[in-house]
Amino acid sequence: MLDQTWNRERLHELIESRLGGRKFIVVSNREPFIHRHRKDGSVECIRPASGMATALHPIMMASGGTWIAHGAGDADREVVDANDCVMVPPEAPGYKLRRVWITPELELGFYYGLANEGLWPLCHITFTRPEFRPQDWAAYKEANRIFAEAVMAETNGENALVFIQDYHFCLLPRMLKDMSAGRVICAHFWHIPWPNREVFRAFPWGEELLHGLLGNDLLGFHIHYHCQNFLETVDRAIEARVDPDRHEITRGGHVTSVRPFPISIDYEADNARAQRDDVSAAIEHWYDRLPGLRGRTIGASIERLDYSKGIPLRLHGLERFLDQHPEWHDKLCFVQIAVPSRDQLGTYKAEQAAVDAAAARINKRFGTDTWQPVYLLKEHHGSVDMMALHRMASFFMVNSLHDGMNLVAKEFVASRSDEHGVLVLSLFTGASRELHQALGVNPYAVEEVANAVLTAITMPEAQQQRRMRLMREQVAHQNVFRRAGRLLTMM
Ligand code: F6P
């Protein structure tokens, strides 16, 4: 039996009571809404491909606070007020977005450099060597300081609860504690994995980084294993008292609680939205756009074009499947949406080339005048198009080599009220610890991926239904409001 339902209203009540008159401020690098120019010069507002933004948006809609983030869109400055603020979402404003501006040079060192060439590969352990450049570390510190000033301006001397997101802001909690003389309560959620202590030893400024993070009152990871890794890292690297039983670290008299809070989605909203007429119309639009999909079994994946997502290995798995199963030629199509990401970086350019090459090779080897096995779409898609693809897919693949959670897997499940469709899910995602009825795969094992494709497309309807029903129950119950409620109760 499910216990009491968690929804937006209940979370709102909880936040009101927990805040006790304090301001609620979320800080992240990526903004939840980006204003950018269309080709004709008009301005559009899009939602970025970001698990973090997906998870935080419903929480902000329930709390109605302020979200501080880097203004990265080329039309962002045109829509803000004198305080760099704009209400979002544009169609039904629910909270304030305060944009922080950083120079392209600083972005290069802070975001591309330290955060995404240093910490991202360090924490994901995907055999991509991290880069640690002193000038990036300097830019990272400077960007953290700029954000700290924006938070202080937003608090305006009042007490506040600041909820910091991710690996871009390890130094921010300590800065806020110092600048506010303790008036600010800091909670921090780490959306990516935390590596084991041996791997973390490679980070050259480890002590400073950990000291910054331990300015938090609460530090959250998706899973227990990452909390353990963090506790062990601190225990090994710096002077602090680590209490593994209470999940607490004391440094300089200040206590930081370290807890797992697996994030989730607004299941009810996604479930309802996926059934809407505009999504049904978008299905037709997909068939018009890619007529080869009609009458064929469809597989799909949607993610940022990032080496941690394992796209080339997945395509190798599909290729192996087509090699071994000629009876499926002409019958199956795979739609790969790969949203361009961090494309200034060499590792991402190389990944893009590897994805292009794999898709082209498969289409050349197996394709005919009337059948294209792989459609590679390297472009951003809105939620309506993505939900349409969820509904069209007989099987949906998430092959991350390492992923904190992966909300796309949960979004697929939420879209399938018909209880059909099979989820193939990497065992190296946080989501695989919750979605036990998915077909689990080791994304590095090409043979296993090929076998999973066969199992998925030949799975009897009754079994698909049973698995999908159980996964939907899980995501419905453990929705974002329940998960956020747990976290906020801890603050
Ligand atoms: O979910 C992890 C994450 O790093 C988010 O923090 C981020 O928004 C998302 O991936 C996308 O990355 P980026 O913001 O660099 O485009």
Side-chain angles (χ1 to χ4, degrees):
M1 261 313 266
L2 303 185
D3 59 348
Q4 210 187 338
T5 314
W6 270 93
N7 53 24
R8 181 185 291 185
E9 289 68 38
R10 189 164 165 208
L11 182 64
H12 176 76
E13 280 165 26
L14 177 86
I15 291 173
E16 291 277 289
S17 71
R18 301 301 296 183
L19 282 176
R22 290 189 204 93
K23 287 192 164 185
F24 184 57
I25 301 171
V26 163
V27 187
S28 72
N29 174 66
R30 181 63 61 208
E31 51 185 345
F33 292 89
I34 300 177
H35 287 90
R36 65 179 191 189
H37 289 117
R38 294 193 188 89
K39 283 201 181 84
D40 65 5
S42 61
V43 172
E44 65 175 351
C45 182
I46 63 154
R47 298 182 68 167
S50 159
M52 179 278 301
T54 304
L56 265 290
H57 173 73
I59 298 174
M60 288 304 286
M61 290 301 280
S63 69
T66 302
W67 188 329
I68 300 180
H70 171 212
D74 62 9
D76 274 357
R77 286 177 192 265
E78 292 169 29
V79 298
V80 295
D81 64 18
N83 293 319
D84 300 322
C85 297
V86 57
M87 292 299 291
V88 290
E91 67 281 5
Y95 59 93
K96 187 167 84 177
L97 171 60
R98 180 181 185 125
R99 287 177 168 144
V100 173
W101 317 112
I102 57 176
T103 63
E105 296 72 41
L106 196 61
E107 187 184 14
L108 200 61
F110 154 63
Y111 170 74
Y112 287 107
L114 203 282
N116 286 317
E117 280 193 294
L119 288 172
W120 181 270
L122 182 80
C123 292
H124 279 86
I125 324 176
T126 54
F127 309 106
T128 304
R129 190 169 73 89
E131 297 284 345
F132 304 121
R133 289 177 287 259
Q135 65 271 31
D136 291 347
W137 181 234
Y140 187 86
K141 287 191 207 178
E142 174 63 2
N144 273 244
R145 194 191 55 73
I146 292 173
F147 273 84
E149 274 168 11
V151 174
M152 293 314 295
E154 185 63 32
T155 63
N156 201 21
E158 291 173 41
N159 292 342
L161 197 164
V162 182
F163 188 20
I164 303 166
Q165 308 304 312
D166 245 333
Y167 57 100
H168 310 87
F169 297 115
C170 295
L171 306 178
L172 183 59
R174 177 73 58 187
M175 288 175 179
L176 291 177
K177 281 285 180 201
D178 292 347
M179 288 162 93
S180 72
R183 265 185 296 102
V184 161
I185 296 176
C186 291
H188 198 144
F189 192 78
W190 193 264
H191 290 258
I192 64 175
W194 185 275
N196 64 48
R197 64 189 187 187
E198 290 307 322
V199 170
F200 185 77
R201 281 179 71 198
F203 191 75
W205 307 283
E207 183 163 355
E208 227 178 310
L209 183 141
L210 294 173
H211 180 66
L213 276 174
L214 293 176
N216 279 303
D217 299 283
L218 176 65
L219 176 58
F221 295 92
H222 285 293
I223 58 176
H224 182 70
Y225 175 61
H226 298 148
C227 295
Q228 284 305 120
N229 280 349
F230 184 78
L231 293 170
E232 285 171 20
T233 301
V234 170
D235 202 22
R236 167 68 71 92
I238 59 173
E239 212 146 299
R241 189 154 44 80
V242 176
D243 185 336
D245 297 328
R246 297 174 66 92
H247 278 232
E248 282 176 4
I249 301 172
T250 309
R251 179 167 163 92
H254 176 74
V255 179
T256 304
S257 297
V258 180
R259 295 290 154 92
F261 300 103
I263 58 163
S264 197
I265 57 171
D266 182 352
Y267 172 87
E268 287 304 329
D270 284 3
N271 179 44
R273 209 175 297 138
Q275 314 317 318
R276 280 187 347 205
D277 291 347
D278 53 350
V279 175
S280 305
I283 292 179
E284 283 314 305
H285 184 67
W286 274 113
Y287 283 124
D288 291 345
R289 192 175 156 200
L290 309 176
L293 297 182
R294 261 187 219 282
R296 292 194 167 99
T297 298
I298 299 171
S301 285
I302 304 173
E303 58 236 318
R304 286 181 306 107
L305 210 165
D306 189 303
Y307 54 81
S308 68
K309 305 294 180 189
I311 304 174
L313 278 166
R314 167 193 304 136
L315 293 177
H316 288 175
L318 270 172
E319 186 173 12
R320 185 69 56 86
F321 166 78
L322 291 171
D323 257 333
Q324 294 170 341
H325 296 281
E327 73 278 13
W328 277 95
H329 290 190
D330 205 21
K331 295 199 175 82
L332 180 141
C333 287
F334 193 79
V335 181
Q336 170 70 60
I337 294 185
V339 184
S341 177
R342 307 172 190 170
D343 46 13
Q344 295 195 24
L345 300 179
T347 41
Y348 285 74
K349 287 191 180 113
E351 182 70 5
Q352 195 163 136
V355 171
D356 285 340
R361 192 180 60 243
I362 296 173
N363 286 336
K364 188 156 176 240
R365 279 192 65 196
F366 303 103
T368 64
D369 288 347
T370 53
W371 174 49
Q372 180 175 327
V374 176
Y375 291 92
L376 171 60
L377 307 175
K378 292 186 295 182
E379 59 206 12
H380 184 273
H381 288 266
S383 62
V384 171
D385 275 349
M386 292 196 287
M387 284 174 169
L389 198 56
H390 292 154
R391 282 178 45 189
M392 293 161 72
S394 296
F395 67 107
F396 192 82
M397 300 184 85
V398 173
N399 294 60
S400 307
L401 306 182
H402 204 177
D403 220 328
M405 173 53 65
N406 194 287
L407 292 183
V408 180
K410 295 185 177 182
E411 287 172 338
F412 170 65
V413 167
S415 293
R416 297 307 298 250
S417 60
D418 62 350
E419 297 180 341
H420 286 288
V422 177
L423 176 63
V424 177
L425 182 58
S426 162
L427 294 169
F428 307 145
T429 58
S432 74
R433 299 181 185 227
E434 297 180 47
L435 302 176
H436 301 296
Q437 292 74 24
L439 290 180
V441 288
N442 170 355
Y444 290 96
V446 171
E447 207 68 32
E448 227 178 270
V449 176
N451 290 340
V453 172
L454 182 68
T455 308
I457 57 183
T458 55
M459 188 180 286
E461 300 262 306
Q463 194 187 141
Q464 286 188 35
Q465 206 165 15
R466 186 183 58 78
R467 287 173 182 255
M468 185 55 82
R469 188 174 301 152
L470 290 169
M471 289 193 288
R472 283 171 62 79
E473 278 174 16
Q474 161 71 18
V475 182
H477 183 54
Q478 297 293 346
N479 65 16
V480 69
F481 303 113
R482 177 180 300 273
R483 297 281 167 88
R486 247 198 79 222
L487 190 148
L488 289 161
T489 309
M490 289 292 305
M491 285 181 178

